[in-house]
Amino acid sequence: MATMEASQEKTGLGNYFVANYPPFSFWKPDYLEAARSALNSAPVQGTPLGLYLHIPFCRKRCKFCYFRVYTDKNAREVETYLDALAKEVELYSRLPIVGGRKLLYVYFGGGTPSFLSAAQLRGLTDRLKRFLPWDGAEEVTFECEPGTLQQHKLEALKEMGVTRLSLGVENFDDKILGENGRAHLSGEIYRAYGWARDLKFDQINIDLIAGMVGENWDNWKECVRKTIELNPDSVTIYQMELPFNTVYSKEIRVIGGDEPASFTVADWPTKRAWVSYAIDELAYVGYEVSSAYTMVKDRRRCRFVYRDVLWHGADMFGTGVASFGHASGVHMQNVDSWEEYVGLLEKGELPLNRALPVAREQRLIREMILQLKTGRLHVPYFRQKFDTNILEHFAAGFGKLADEGFVSVGADDVELTRTGLLNVDRLLPTFFEPQYCGTRYT
């Protein structure tokens, strides 16, 4: 463990968070025919279907953000995008891959979905539900930036059927929020949260980021204390990373060093210590571990359908500019430019850019590493679905992680230790196939 720990002290450039497998850099336009074939075929029986909607608008671009977002679009351009998004969902609704399935979950992500007005949200929802209704969905998640919320907008979200409201709080200190490019202030957090509580959303989640520029131990403890005081249904905590296309990472490259004098990002051991502290404090008041990033008050009520079914091989239509999706064993991603996205949909074409057909072994690895993020693997699940004993098939990898104190291995379960939970994303490449090791993840 010491060798692995020493190599990961400083927060350097590059993606840390593992969101999929095989890595995105291996998805190519050459494989688009496989994507089209999957979409034009009947679905695999029993596979759930979800819908992701990318709303790419923001008041400001956070300095650590690596998503496709826009801060310069006027009202007419926003409407143009929403028309394109509705058209994309309509095109998907006509494909054989739907196969009569109902949506199990819907996820509005961004960007800032709450950037849209209440009227825009209602109009978009009415159009989308004509093509893929979600009245029977188990979960509808909506990401919010606190400063964009008003009571009437939250009322609109409730009418839309939103079951989980996710507030991007990140930190409670106005100076740190400002330094990191966040658009909201701490007072707006409390105002938005109060309105949401009054409207009785099924689940309110608060996002925090450990390791924002300017953060220290005192600030972090205060953030945890204020989070507990709010008493949300769930808390998601990310460790700050520096992917290649963020404002901060560009500053690093311009200066030419690993860490410029103008700002510092906490090293990985510090960020892991902060997350561990938060887990302890939240557990003390009754929260439970739901994943390496998430603590919940009541596991029976606080479900993460989007996360869990996707990590168990669900299909998902990824709609919006640069969005990722998956259908019948094929990964796919949309074009990542505004002009091309809107242009293709105006012509009535799905805006796909690249894809990757995923072999059986890769699907096994994908599900295993993503489910490991929950803190536990149930061995019989993989035996039943893939006819594989993962403890035997990946014996070397599990043995290595067990020797280093990251996992404990039983007859039917693999469990991450606390150390493993805090390190999980850098452990997952242990199980990558050789051709995907040591490559750029994006």
Side-chain angles (χ1 to χ4, degrees), residues 10-12 242 251-252 255-267:
K10 183 177 286 189
T11 299
L242 291 175
E251 287 185 21
I252 290 175
I255 292 171
D258 290 333
E259 188 176 317
S262 60
F263 69 89
T264 58
V265 177
D267 60 27

Side-chain angles (χ1 to χ4, degrees), residues 188-258:
E188 293 168 319
I189 297 169
Y190 292 99
R191 186 178 64 184
Y193 186 85
W195 286 330
R197 269 286 172 242
D198 289 343
L199 288 166
K200 295 180 168 56
F201 282 89
D202 293 351
Q203 184 177 343
I204 301 177
N205 177 81
I206 280 181
D207 282 351
L208 299 176
I209 298 178
M212 294 178 80
V213 172
E215 204 162 43
N216 56 37
W217 261 111
D218 289 341
N219 167 259
W220 181 250
K221 288 179 179 179
E222 188 67 0
C223 286
V224 173
R225 184 190 69 77
K226 289 179 176 179
T227 298
I228 291 172
E229 192 175 66
L230 284 176
N231 195 32
D233 301 293
S234 58
V235 182
T236 301
I237 307 171
Y238 298 104
Q239 297 179 47
M240 184 146 147
E241 57 182 325
L242 291 175
F244 289 95
N245 61 336
T246 69
V247 171
Y248 278 141
S249 60
K250 289 175 183 175
E251 287 185 21
I252 290 175
R253 289 204 298 275
V254 167
I255 292 171
D258 290 333

Side-chain angles (χ1 to χ4, degrees), residues 162-177:
V162 171
T163 60
R164 183 168 72 243
L165 202 70
S166 190
L167 292 177
V169 170
E170 323 307 5
N171 199 287
F172 287 85
D173 185 287
D174 286 345
K175 184 177 179 181
I176 292 174
L177 291 170

Side-chain angles (χ1 to χ4, degrees), residues 100-383:
R101 291 178 292 175
K102 303 295 183 183
L103 291 175
L104 186 67
Y105 66 87
V106 179
Y107 195 106
F108 289 82
T112 308
S114 56
F115 178 93
L116 301 179
S117 69
Q120 287 170 331
L121 289 168
R122 287 191 173 99
L124 177 63
T125 299
D126 289 344
R127 284 184 284 176
L128 297 177
K129 284 188 172 183
R130 286 201 296 270
F131 309 125
L132 284 174
W134 62 70
D135 293 332
E138 292 185 12
E139 177 181 278
V140 180
T141 300
F142 196 94
E143 294 182 350
C144 301
E145 185 252 281
T148 60
L149 293 175
Q150 301 88 32
Q151 187 169 359
H152 72 277
K153 189 180 292 187
L154 285 163
E155 289 169 352
L157 296 179
K158 186 78 172 176
E159 292 169 14
M160 286 166 52
V162 171
T163 60
R164 183 168 72 243
L165 202 70
S166 190
L167 292 177
V169 170
E170 323 307 5
N171 199 287
F172 287 85
D173 185 287
D174 286 345
K175 184 177 179 181
I176 292 174
L177 291 170
E179 161 57 39
N180 288 263
R182 294 295 292 173
H184 71 275
L185 298 171
S186 57
E188 293 168 319
I189 297 169
Y190 292 99
R191 186 178 64 184
Y193 186 85
W195 286 330
R197 269 286 172 242
D198 289 343
L199 288 166
K200 295 180 168 56
F201 282 89
D202 293 351
Q203 184 177 343
I204 301 177
N205 177 81
I206 280 181
D207 282 351
L208 299 176
I209 298 178
M212 294 178 80
V213 172
E215 204 162 43
N216 56 37
W217 261 111
D218 289 341
N219 167 259
W220 181 250
K221 288 179 179 179
E222 188 67 0
C223 286
V224 173
R225 184 190 69 77
K226 289 179 176 179
T227 298
I228 291 172
E229 192 175 66
L230 284 176
N231 195 32
D233 301 293
S234 58
V235 182
T236 301
I237 307 171
Y238 298 104
Q239 297 179 47
M240 184 146 147
E241 57 182 325
L242 291 175
F244 289 95
N245 61 336
T246 69
V247 171
Y248 278 141
S249 60
K250 289 175 183 175
E251 287 185 21
I252 290 175
R253 289 204 298 275
V254 167
I255 292 171
D258 290 333
E259 188 176 317
S262 60
F263 69 89
T264 58
V265 177
D267 60 27
W268 289 109
T270 299
K271 287 181 287 190
R272 290 192 285 270
W274 288 350
V275 175
S276 187
Y277 170 83
I279 291 173
D280 286 337
E281 293 296 300
L282 289 162
Y284 182 76
V285 295
Y287 287 79
E288 304 172 76
V289 172
S290 173
S291 79
Y293 324 104
T294 307
M295 300 288 287
V296 299
K297 272 171 56 176
D298 185 347
R299 291 182 70 94
R300 295 165 298 180
R301 191 175 65 82
C302 292
R303 302 176 60 210
F304 285 79
V305 177
Y306 162 78
R307 176 195 76 191
D308 291 339
V309 299
L310 197 61
W311 290 359
H312 283 75
D315 286 346
M316 183 177 76
F317 297 149
T319 61
V321 62
S323 288
F324 298 93
H326 182 89
S328 295
V330 181
H331 294 323
M332 54 197 79
Q333 185 190 16
N334 281 348
V335 295
D336 64 358
S337 79
W338 175 282
E339 293 77 14
E340 195 172 5
Y341 175 76
V342 171
L344 286 169
L345 284 160
E346 286 177 344
K347 293 190 294 184
E349 299 177 25
L350 283 176
L352 297 174
N353 176 54
R354 60 177 179 169
L356 182 70
V358 187
R360 179 185 173 280
E361 174 75 2
Q362 293 161 349
R363 292 199 296 272
L364 167 62
I365 294 172
R366 175 178 181 257
E367 288 199 31
M368 190 182 74
I369 63 175
L370 293 177
Q371 289 176 39
L372 192 59
K373 288 168 171 268
T374 67
R376 172 178 293 183
L377 295 176
H378 190 50
V379 176
Y381 167 84
F382 296 94
R383 185 181 297 117

